[in-house]
Amino acid sequence: MTQSSPSGTAAGRPEDVHPHAVAAVNQGDATVAGDPGQQATGLTDVYREVCAHIRATDDISLKLLAAVPLATGIGITILVRTSTQDLPGAARSALSLFAAVITFAIYRWERKNIATCGHFREWAAVLERDHFKLPLPIVEAGAPRTRPHGGVSAPAFFGQSWGKTQAEILLYWAVIVSWLSTSVYTLLR
């Protein structure tokens, strides 16, 4: 999904931040007319809330990344055992298909969670740029791409950046394929 640092959030380029987001932040500044101290406090509170949402979405993803493979391992181990009258092969196969569908639904929900986190990261980047006046990295060739508080790059895997989102995609599809394979195995055995 995402990095915990909110500034590594909006793909790192000012032009990637949605123009309506900047306008909304600027309109938010106008609502507390008069006292710049209240404006700063209000936007700082918004920033804290955005960062809390980023952490919450990451926490949910981490819990799912721990629970889904564990539940899959236990479930498949139970279902590939020899069929009995209480739980025949066809029922085991149906349970495996059901688990594959449930896993796919969780995966789709997680993809939405990733998009939501990206949205919050864009807001954090807008606030960092406009409210806190932190410089965003320059995107031109040869320019440094560092953030004021540092950045974390996903390590390369086969020449491609391989981060949390790619790991989640691999994990969920491996689990779905495992459930489908278990369904076929229990039916054919």
Side-chain angles (χ1 to χ4, degrees):
M1 182 163 111
T2 59
Q3 298 169 343
S4 293
S5 169
S7 183
T9 59
R13 299 184 303 266
E15 63 272 11
D16 286 342
V17 177
H18 199 279
H20 296 321
V22 175
V25 168
N26 291 337
Q27 287 174 0
D29 288 344
T31 59
V32 186
D35 188 2
Q38 286 181 341
Q39 291 174 3
T41 302
L43 288 176
T44 301
D45 290 343
V46 168
Y47 182 76
R48 283 189 186 119
E49 191 69 24
V50 166
C51 291
H53 285 300
I54 292 169
R55 283 189 298 276
T57 57
D58 280 346
D59 188 47
I60 291 167
S61 293
L62 184 61
K63 288 176 182 175
L64 285 172
L65 284 174
V68 168
L70 179 64
T72 299
I74 292 169
I76 289 175
T77 301
I78 292 169
L79 291 176
V80 296
R81 300 171 83 189
T82 306
S83 298
T84 64
Q85 284 185 328
D86 295 335
L87 193 57
R92 291 171 190 264
S93 180
L95 283 172
S96 296
L97 285 174
F98 178 72
V101 169
I102 294 300
T103 302
F104 181 73
I106 293 170
Y107 167 72
R108 292 305 303 162
W109 182 83
E110 181 58 20
R111 296 297 295 170
K112 173 64 173 132
N113 196 20
I114 290 168
T116 300
C117 190
H119 172 77
F120 287 132
R121 291 174 64 183
E122 286 179 10
W123 270 101
V126 167
L127 289 169
E128 288 172 352
R129 183 192 68 209
D130 294 347
H131 174 59
F132 297 110
K133 307 297 185 212
L134 297 176
L136 292 176
I138 300 171
V139 190
E140 296 155 7
R145 293 178 175 241
T146 58
R147 299 201 174 272
H149 49 71
V152 178
S153 297
F157 184 70
F158 290 115
Q160 298 289 328
S161 175
W162 190 265
K164 186 173 171 249
T165 302
Q166 293 79 16
E168 285 179 343
I169 291 169
L170 176 64
L171 179 127
Y172 279 102
W173 282 106
V175 167
I176 291 168
V177 168
S178 297
W179 281 118
L180 293 174
S181 299
T182 301
S183 177
V184 170
Y185 174 78
T186 56
L187 195 58
L188 295 177
R189 186 172 60 143

